[in-house]
Amino acid sequence: MIQTERAMSVIGQYVFNGLMLGMIYAMVAVGFTLFFGVLDVIKFSHGDTLMVGAFAGLTASTGVLMLDIGSPWIRLLAVVLAAVCVTGLLGAAIAKWLVLPLHKAPPLNTLLATLMLGTVMREAVRLFYPDGSNSQPFPSLLPTDAIEFGGFALRADNVILLLSGLAIIAGVHFLITRTRLGMAIRAVAQDGETARLMGINFEAVVLLTFALGSGMAALAGVMNGLYYNEINFNVGLLLGVIGFAAAILGGLGNIYGAIIGGFLFAGLQVLGSATLPALIPNIPSAYKDVFAFAVVIILMAWKPTGLIAEKSSERV
């Protein structure tokens, strides 16, 4: 009986961890999909934008605490607002002064430019943020009460994070499919020149799309910090690569594919961390990333266009 409860507890922890990771990866992957949808560009500084958002939120939390405001909900509000505002403005600035000027250049130019920009952002945080080269503790701002289910402790903060991620993705989906801004984004994604002729402000739509995708990345960074209670200047590097892999796996240019790819990648990581130590003695569970990327490579070779292939009439 005790062994059964222990097994159920471990399985429950694996499943919930997979759901949380999948939510974070999906939010990052949706950003890549939005950028590719409107401009056919790969913005490789996206992961580092996530990192900047997490550090902006941490700075806001510290600032509120210095004002002798101890309420965790006010600090959480400050964290979210700071992260989204900073990265939204950063994403729009990157689009206006880096991506749009390179719009007519070969795609490789934009890829390399954003890749180098990501390195600049990462190193700037490492060098100029106080003690930025080391991991920074992220404040625990959510209730930590837990409900026991046969040995598995379901914590309130984890449930709140998961539901918040679902709400964010649902909100973005509603914005893209049910609002005038979403209609403009989809029109630009279909044909930018025709959208201009129809009176749509092409540049404004691109800037808003990059701000939206960057804001989602910031929220993913905050969720990651709240879940693991720490962040570091390298946190966006791996999350960016995984988010991009998830977007490619699901079908670049398709939001639903990005979401499926994010959860699938997380499932592969959880499967690897659970099975590799049992199949190969003395192998650390950290090899879950190697396992997940290896399976993704096989899937990409099998389905080069992604699990949900982009239709020419359906983008974003």
Side-chain angles (χ1 to χ4, degrees):
M1 185 67 179
I2 295 177
Q3 290 182 343
T4 302
E5 288 186 358
R6 185 176 299 169
M8 292 302 295
S9 174
V10 172
I11 293 173
Q13 188 59 51
Y14 275 128
V15 170
F16 198 88
N17 191 47
L19 290 174
M20 272 303 309
L21 290 175
M23 190 62 67
I24 293 171
Y25 299 159
M27 291 171 67
V28 178
V30 167
F32 278 109
T33 294
L34 289 173
F35 304 147
F36 184 81
V38 296
L39 280 182
D40 283 346
V41 299
I42 305 299
K43 179 174 169 282
F44 260 139
S45 60
H46 190 48
D48 296 294
T49 302
L50 176 153
M51 178 271 301
V52 169
F55 272 89
L58 177 60
T59 303
S61 175
T62 304
V64 170
L65 200 58
M66 291 174 64
L67 296 175
D68 291 329
I69 301 176
S71 170
W73 294 110
I74 294 179
R75 291 175 64 192
L76 180 61
L77 179 62
V79 167
V80 171
L81 289 177
V84 172
C85 291
V86 168
T87 53
L89 291 173
L90 178 61
I94 291 172
K96 183 172 181 61
W97 287 299
L98 181 63
V99 177
L100 281 174
L102 293 173
H103 183 40
K104 300 298 183 182
L108 187 60
N109 291 24
T110 304
L111 189 151
L112 289 175
T114 56
L115 181 64
M116 291 185 287
L117 175 63
T119 302
V120 170
M121 293 160 59
R122 193 163 56 250
E123 290 301 307
V125 170
R126 184 179 72 84
L127 293 173
F128 300 114
Y129 193 89
D131 198 26
S133 58
N134 296 317
S135 295
Q136 304 292 317
F138 205 87
S140 179
L141 302 174
L142 294 172
T144 56
D145 301 331
I147 302 175
E148 295 285 341
F149 290 99
F152 169 59
L154 185 61
R155 288 176 40 173
D157 55 347
N158 293 344
V159 174
I160 292 173
L161 288 174
L162 187 60
L163 293 178
S164 299
L166 285 171
I168 292 165
I169 290 178
V172 171
H173 178 265
F174 178 83
L175 186 149
I176 295 295
T177 59
R178 302 293 182 184
T179 67
R180 294 185 64 182
L181 173 60
M183 186 181 298
I185 291 174
R186 286 183 285 126
V188 169
Q190 292 293 329
D191 190 328
E193 292 301 324
T194 302
R196 281 193 179 98
L197 294 175
M198 293 171 60
I200 294 174
N201 189 327
F202 177 84
E203 181 174 324
V205 170
V206 170
L207 297 186
L208 287 172
T209 303
F210 272 70
L212 175 63
S214 300
M216 282 194 71
L219 292 173
V222 170
M223 288 175 60
N224 186 75
L226 290 170
Y227 189 61
Y228 290 109
N229 293 127
E230 72 169 22
I231 57 174
N232 62 71
F233 73 96
N234 261 330
V235 68
L237 190 59
L238 181 59
L239 287 178
V241 172
I242 291 175
F244 180 59
I248 294 291
L249 177 62
L252 193 59
N254 189 298
I255 286 183
Y256 304 109
I259 296 170
I260 292 173
F263 281 99
L264 180 57
F265 195 98
L268 291 172
Q269 283 185 312
V270 170
L271 181 64
S273 63
T275 59
L276 286 179
L279 296 175
I280 307 175
N282 301 322
I283 188 170
S285 60
Y287 277 84
K288 66 182 186 299
D289 293 335
V290 177
F291 172 78
F293 278 116
V295 175
V296 167
I297 290 172
I298 295 172
L299 290 175
M300 289 170 60
W302 172 55
K303 294 277 289 185
T305 57
L307 298 178
I308 303 180
E310 176 194 351
K311 298 179 181 179
S312 60
S313 60
E314 294 182 9
R315 299 195 62 175
V316 177

